[in-house]
Amino acid sequence: MPIKDVLSQLRRERGLTQEELAGKLFVTRQAVSRWETGETTPGIDMTKLIALALDVPVTALLEMPEHYCQSCGMMFTASDQFAREADGSVTEEFCRWCYDAGAYTYETSMDAMIEECAPRMAEAMGWTNDEAVSLLGAVLPGLKRWREEER
């Protein structure tokens, strides 16, 4: 769902006016209004701040597909991108590049994953590398692979 459709709903659920949310974000009420009407879209770093202010994961504010890799965050565009479990069954949790035969295909850190994936994401989305790094830094900690490593 586009941020313009979810932002006003989340703001109202938290009992905030546009002015109050703007104050938390150090922007004008007009900026919040423009985001809510879709006239403009906040940048990635501002979207992360909005998520913090509204106490939601950043993915709640992004147009994320229903299924994406729970290791690298890649959005699935075809079923042949899905991984396989040890018994050969398909899993829609991971991409085939990150996971195969019931295990991760390579050991890596979250920082290394971000460094590896950011340039491809930036190119595919028309963003700067810094924007891709920023987004991945916000999204990856909430993915299954990285939540499991925290335990």
Side-chain angles (χ1 to χ4, degrees), residues 70-112:
Q70 291 294 307
S71 174
C72 68
M74 181 185 83
M75 299 171 193
F76 294 121
T77 58
S79 61
D80 68 347
Q81 296 172 331
F82 297 138
R84 296 203 174 268
E85 293 290 357
D87 65 4
S89 64
V90 172
T91 177
E92 296 182 11
E93 283 192 307
F94 300 102
C95 72
R96 63 187 173 102
W97 296 278
C98 290
Y99 190 85
D100 187 43
Y104 296 113
T105 57
Y106 56 94
E107 290 299 317
T108 189
S109 67
M110 188 181 336
D111 288 341

Side-chain angles (χ1 to χ4, degrees), residues 109-149:
S109 67
M110 188 181 336
D111 288 341
M113 178 72 77
I114 291 169
E115 190 175 314
E116 182 181 326
C117 295
R120 289 191 300 274
M121 175 183 266
E123 183 178 337
M125 302 300 290
W127 297 341
T128 67
N129 194 62
D130 287 344
E131 289 173 318
V133 165
S134 183
L135 178 64
L136 288 169
V139 171
L140 263 58
L143 301 182
K144 183 176 181 177
R145 179 177 190 169
W146 310 110
R147 287 191 321 262
E148 287 175 351
E149 284 200 4

Side-chain angles (χ1 to χ4, degrees), residues 22-67:
K24 289 177 177 275
L25 300 171
F26 303 100
V27 298
T28 64
R29 182 204 56 78
Q30 291 83 354
V32 174
S33 175
R34 287 192 297 271
W35 298 332
E36 289 184 357
T37 62
E39 184 180 328
T40 61
T41 303
I44 292 166
D45 287 333
M46 181 55 71
T47 301
K48 288 168 49 179
L49 291 174
I50 295 168
L52 283 172
L54 297 175
D55 194 30
V56 296
V58 72
T59 53
L61 299 171
L62 301 173
E63 289 185 69
M64 298 287 287
E66 187 174 334
H67 297 291

